[in-house]
Amino acid sequence: MAIFSRGFTGRPREAQPDLPPGQFLTEDFPVLSAGPTPTIAETDWSFTIKTELGATHSWTWDELNALPFEDIHTDIHCVTRWSKLATNWRGVSMDTLFADVESSYDYVMVHSTGGYTTNLPLEDILDGQAWITTEFEGEPLEPDHGGPARMIVPHLYFWKSAKWVRGITMQRSDSPGFWEQNGYHTYGDPWREERYS
């Protein structure tokens, strides 16, 4: 009599449609940074968008907080494979900040305190896709998580959501930022597992 075995294939991964491929669900909020956590006083914080013609659009902390804020309810996905679902943020839409910015360039470089940079297509931070946030889960954003302000671009891996954000420079081409120069994917779509170049 023949005996058929299904073999030892291990336990299949539970189907979770909210998780991109290769991700696992976490309830906490891991802290990952390229360097030490800076301490930035709100009175010293500012944010500037600089165009290719040298025009600058700048906001102090008080000026940012005078703009319309939005509640953002979103999932976030880290390249190190954790995902956190249904997170809550408050921030200013990049659409608001770019309302008076004139540029013919299609890419941006995001700059943070400490020299961190990350590159993005302009179209990926407009149309309700990205914010400068100052609150997480109803509390001021802690320094470990990028406070007083971080950019969030939740449809991409979270390294694109720069902590301690200070400004944006318009770019003609898609030049790599810090992690992109060190082997990470130029774009970083978690649903396509664009982790590394």
Side-chain angles (χ1 to χ4, degrees):
M1 178 167 86
I3 298 174
F4 296 93
S5 171
R6 292 186 300 172
F8 296 97
T9 58
R11 192 167 68 185
R13 183 173 179 253
E14 185 178 333
Q16 296 187 52
D18 292 336
L19 287 182
Q23 297 292 108
F24 69 88
L25 188 62
T26 185
E27 296 297 327
D28 58 0
F29 194 170
V31 175
L32 303 168
S33 301
T37 298
T39 301
I40 304 163
E42 294 170 357
T43 53
D44 294 332
W45 185 89
S46 64
F47 181 79
T48 300
I49 299 172
K50 185 174 182 179
T51 72
E52 66 271 24
L53 298 178
T56 58
H57 303 261
S58 296
W59 297 265
T60 64
W61 181 257
D62 289 340
E63 289 168 338
L64 180 81
N65 281 275
L67 296 173
F69 268 64
E70 298 179 5
D71 293 316
I72 306 114
H73 183 73
T74 189
D75 303 335
I76 55 177
H77 310 288
C78 184
V79 71
T80 61
R81 301 190 181 274
W82 62 261
S83 288
K84 187 170 178 63
L85 304 183
T87 63
N88 297 289
W89 307 76
R90 272 185 64 75
V92 176
S93 172
M94 294 305 299
D95 297 310
T96 299
L97 297 172
F98 269 87
D100 296 323
V101 176
E102 294 184 13
S103 176
S104 62
Y105 284 5
D106 293 325
Y107 299 94
V108 303
M109 185 67 77
V110 182
H111 301 270
S112 297
T113 297
Y116 178 82
T117 57
T118 191
N119 58 299
L120 291 155
L122 178 61
E123 67 181 6
D124 277 273
I125 64 170
L126 300 179
D127 297 325
Q129 298 183 94
W131 298 263
I132 302 298
T133 61
T134 61
E135 293 182 20
F136 176 72
E137 300 297 348
E139 299 291 336
L141 193 58
E142 295 179 8
D144 281 348
H145 292 301
R150 85 177 290 163
M151 186 173 184
I152 65 164
V153 190
H155 67 282
L156 299 176
Y157 281 125
F158 216 46
W159 91 80
K160 294 289 187 177
S161 296
K163 295 180 179 182
W164 315 298
V165 69
R166 296 307 294 262
I168 285 176
T169 303
M170 301 303 302
Q171 295 193 125
R172 181 191 303 275
S173 58
D174 197 15
S175 303
F178 175 82
W179 283 117
E180 296 83 9
Q181 291 177 36
N182 286 281
Y184 279 37
H185 196 277
T186 299
Y187 185 64
D189 183 341
W191 295 97
R192 297 180 178 176
E193 280 202 273
E194 292 178 340
R195 301 177 193 276
Y196 308 109
S197 58

